[in-house]
Amino acid sequence: MRIYVYKGHMRDGFNAESALACAVTERSYMAPGVRRTEISQDGVLGTLFVPPGPGPFPAVLDMWGGGGGLVEYRSALLASHGYVSLALDYYSTQVMEKSPDNNPSLEYEYFEAAFTILQDHPQVASDRVALLASSYGTSVALRMAVYSAVMHPRCVVCISASHVQPVNE
């Protein structure tokens, strides 16, 4: 990205003038040494990011919203800061086709398997696994944290959470 500085305030035609200064900035989502591994295990699809070093590291199960697809950049950033992170694919065509009624959010087993894969990784501190979720993913994360007999996250972080949660489980 190029950042330009111009004299005065922004006005029509300001970019036709010569800039006082210009800088180029670039953001790296994945630090050197972070390992990226595609996961297809026990029916779970996702991408695992592991920071450099021997570990064990705290870990994060990263679940995005209902937009679908696999979003990796947040997990890459987390690994760049010392967390093993599994970007979980749970709302894509690939996953939905395997799910009864095309609704994987109702299948505890899928999320429990993902949590277990992460928790059992040799570079993960198994008692320091968190759930991080955005939008629709927050409904899944909260439901799993409360009702799952398998998942016992150290913490749950919800971004743009839904206020509607089922209570009759």
Side-chain angles (χ1 to χ4, degrees), residues 26-41:
E26 184 176 311
R27 182 173 190 178
S28 296
Y29 289 101
M30 196 164 82
V34 170
R35 291 187 318 277
R36 178 188 176 277
T37 306
E38 292 181 14
I39 298 292
S40 180
Q41 177 183 336

Side-chain angles (χ1 to χ4, degrees), residues 9-31:
H9 296 283
M10 191 169 81
R11 61 186 183 285
D12 287 337
F14 78 94
N15 58 349
E17 298 176 18
S18 296
L20 298 174
C22 176
V24 176
T25 183
E26 184 176 311
R27 182 173 190 178
S28 296
Y29 289 101
M30 196 164 82

Side-chain angles (χ1 to χ4, degrees), residues 45 68-70 89-99 102:
L45 299 176
L70 179 61
D89 186 354
Y90 70 97
Y91 210 75
S92 70
T93 305
Q94 272 186 300
V95 175
M96 300 272 273
E97 287 173 349
K98 297 177 184 178
S99 173
N102 287 339

Side-chain angles (χ1 to χ4, degrees), residues 61-67 74 88 90-91 103-108 111 131-148 151 153 156-169:
L61 181 59
D62 188 8
M63 296 181 285
W64 278 83
R74 185 167 64 191
L88 184 62
Y90 70 97
Y91 210 75
N103 195 349
S105 66
L106 300 178
E107 294 182 33
Y108 283 15
F111 299 100
L131 302 178
L132 173 59
S134 302
S135 190
Y136 177 74
T138 64
S139 296
V140 175
L142 291 171
R143 189 176 311 134
M144 296 309 296
V146 171
Y147 297 113
S148 173
M151 295 170 70
V156 180
V157 177
C158 297
I159 303 166
S160 298
S162 170
H163 66 283
V164 178
Q165 297 295 323
V167 293
N168 59 348
E169 301 269 335

Side-chain angles (χ1 to χ4, degrees), residues 59 115 125-131 151-156:
F115 188 87
S126 63
D127 63 335
R128 296 178 66 198
V129 180
L131 302 178
M151 295 170 70
H152 303 287
R154 182 71 174 254
C155 72
V156 180

